[in-house]
Amino acid sequence: MYKFGIIGYPLGHSISASIQKAGFESLGLEGNYDVLETLPEDLIPRIKFLKTSGYNGFNVTIPLKVPVSLFVDEIDDYANIAGCVNTVKIGEDRSFYGYNTDIYGFKKAIPDDVDLIGTRVAILGTGGAARAAVAGLSEKGVSKIDMFTRNIVNSNQTIDYLRANFKNIEFNVYQIQKIRSLSGLSMIVNATPIGMKGYIANEMPLEKRDFDNIDSDTIIYDIVYNPIKTVLIKEAEERGLRTIEGLDMLVFQAQRAIEIWTGKVPDSNIMKIAALRALS
């Protein structure tokens, strides 16, 4: 029987266990998936526990995605690009192999009919989720990205990193409080937690007036998955804009994690149904 889990804090809102268990069942695999709330100061004893308690792997969420990378023996290219780890596979020799499945999930959630080659995209936020979005958009062929942040000075290190690692993309940085126009964009990505249940749930990272300058063919992609329809998504739909909900990204990154752990690809539709039930 497989043994997996998720570490991070807080985890009261997490639906990862429901999604992963559905994924295991779709493959006919038996496996436990434990929710292990872990504060940053408790990371070292938690790592020791995971190494010695028969676990085959685990997921990592905020605020541990960056610090956990210090404890892995190897990381994949996506984890290196994103600068953080969200999935760990534990080898038979108890070695830790770190992966980032957020980039895969972000990219997979974009419908096949969306052509982003040579286009300009805006990303709201400059944290780890924004890095994952940049990596996914780079693989989709985006040529220009406007990054919107609350504090440009604090974001300089991230922007420098992105410019150094994604030289095929032209980056521009703006303060999110001083948005003047969002025209000429193929997609706008919310990579902030604004709108998340339990975290400013009744707000969105844009003002209503900002939508007046958004082109009718611009896609609004919100990585927040709880609630399924955030204030941002609802406003976009009311304006007749096409949207991509964060739940799809969550499911696809979870699907990829199970593939890394087991070598088998679970049914994403069954996983999404489980996610919807968990959120209802």
Side-chain angles (χ1 to χ4, degrees), residues 130-276:
R131 282 194 184 193
V134 168
L137 292 169
S138 174
E139 293 191 0
K140 285 288 187 178
V142 169
S143 61
K144 295 182 180 179
I145 296 181
D146 294 343
M147 307 289 294
F148 288 89
T149 177
R150 291 193 177 277
N151 192 314
I152 291 178
V153 174
N154 289 349
S155 302
N156 280 340
Q157 186 175 356
T158 296
I159 301 302
D160 288 344
Y161 172 88
L162 294 175
R163 284 176 173 151
N165 286 274
F166 299 96
K167 295 182 180 179
N168 58 317
I169 297 176
E170 176 188 326
F171 290 95
N172 297 295
V173 189
Y174 306 98
Q175 271 196 292
I176 200 169
Q177 302 95 319
K178 297 181 180 179
I179 292 176
R180 290 195 178 92
S181 176
L182 291 171
S183 62
L185 297 167
S186 292
M187 180 181 288
I188 298 172
V189 180
N190 175 33
T192 78
I194 296 174
M196 183 188 297
K197 185 176 181 180
Y199 185 98
I200 325 178
N202 296 319
E203 295 187 18
M204 59 181 174
L206 298 176
E207 301 289 340
K208 282 201 172 190
R209 64 175 180 271
D210 295 329
F211 280 85
D212 296 337
N213 296 314
I214 296 176
D215 299 338
S216 60
D217 59 349
T218 299
I219 299 169
I220 306 298
Y221 188 157
D222 195 343
I223 68 164
V224 174
Y225 67 84
N226 188 8
I228 299 168
K229 289 194 181 295
T230 60
V231 176
L232 179 66
I233 291 292
K234 288 179 180 178
E235 182 68 26
E237 289 180 344
E238 287 177 10
R239 303 270 183 153
L241 298 173
R242 188 174 182 180
T243 61
I244 300 173
E245 297 165 359
L247 188 61
D248 289 327
M249 175 180 171
L250 180 73
V251 169
F252 286 128
Q253 67 83 22
Q255 178 192 47
R256 175 65 182 139
I258 290 178
E259 182 182 5
I260 287 168
W261 290 330
T262 69
K264 299 178 181 179
V265 181
D267 190 322
S268 61
N269 291 321
I270 290 175
M271 296 171 76
K272 186 170 182 178
I273 290 170
L276 291 167

Side-chain angles (χ1 to χ4, degrees), residues 7-182:
I7 65 172
Y9 186 88
L11 293 178
H13 67 286
S14 176
I15 61 171
S16 291
S18 298
I19 297 173
Q20 301 288 23
K21 287 175 182 177
F24 299 145
E25 289 172 5
S26 77
L27 294 170
L29 299 176
E30 290 188 31
N32 291 329
Y33 190 89
D34 301 325
V35 178
L36 305 167
E37 280 203 328
T38 306
L39 290 164
E41 56 265 34
D42 298 326
L43 180 56
I44 292 176
R46 179 64 77 198
I47 291 294
K48 291 178 180 177
F49 170 78
L50 290 163
K51 266 187 182 287
T52 59
S53 301
Y55 283 86
N56 304 103
F58 57 96
N59 287 129
V60 187
T61 189
I62 54 174
L64 303 178
K65 287 186 179 185
V66 173
V68 82
S69 62
L70 299 173
F71 299 92
V72 299
D73 299 283
E74 293 181 23
I75 60 172
D76 75 335
D77 290 340
Y78 275 172
N80 188 42
I81 290 169
C84 60
V85 168
N86 79 327
T87 298
V88 175
K89 180 177 182 178
I90 303 177
E92 291 184 5
D93 62 353
R94 312 320 289 165
S95 293
F96 279 16
Y97 301 91
Y99 300 82
N100 185 293
T101 65
D102 285 334
I103 297 172
Y104 173 87
F106 176 89
K107 190 175 62 169
K108 182 77 172 174
I110 299 173
D112 292 337
D113 67 323
V114 176
D115 183 2
L116 294 173
I117 295 176
T119 62
R120 178 170 155 246
V121 170
I123 297 178
L124 313 178
T126 53
R131 282 194 184 193
V134 168
L137 292 169
S138 174
E139 293 191 0
K140 285 288 187 178
V142 169
S143 61
K144 295 182 180 179
I145 296 181
D146 294 343
M147 307 289 294
F148 288 89
T149 177
R150 291 193 177 277
N151 192 314
I152 291 178
V153 174
N154 289 349
S155 302
N156 280 340
Q157 186 175 356
T158 296
I159 301 302
D160 288 344
Y161 172 88
L162 294 175
R163 284 176 173 151
N165 286 274
F166 299 96
K167 295 182 180 179
N168 58 317
I169 297 176
E170 176 188 326
F171 290 95
N172 297 295
V173 189
Y174 306 98
Q175 271 196 292
I176 200 169
Q177 302 95 319
K178 297 181 180 179
I179 292 176
R180 290 195 178 92
S181 176
L182 291 171

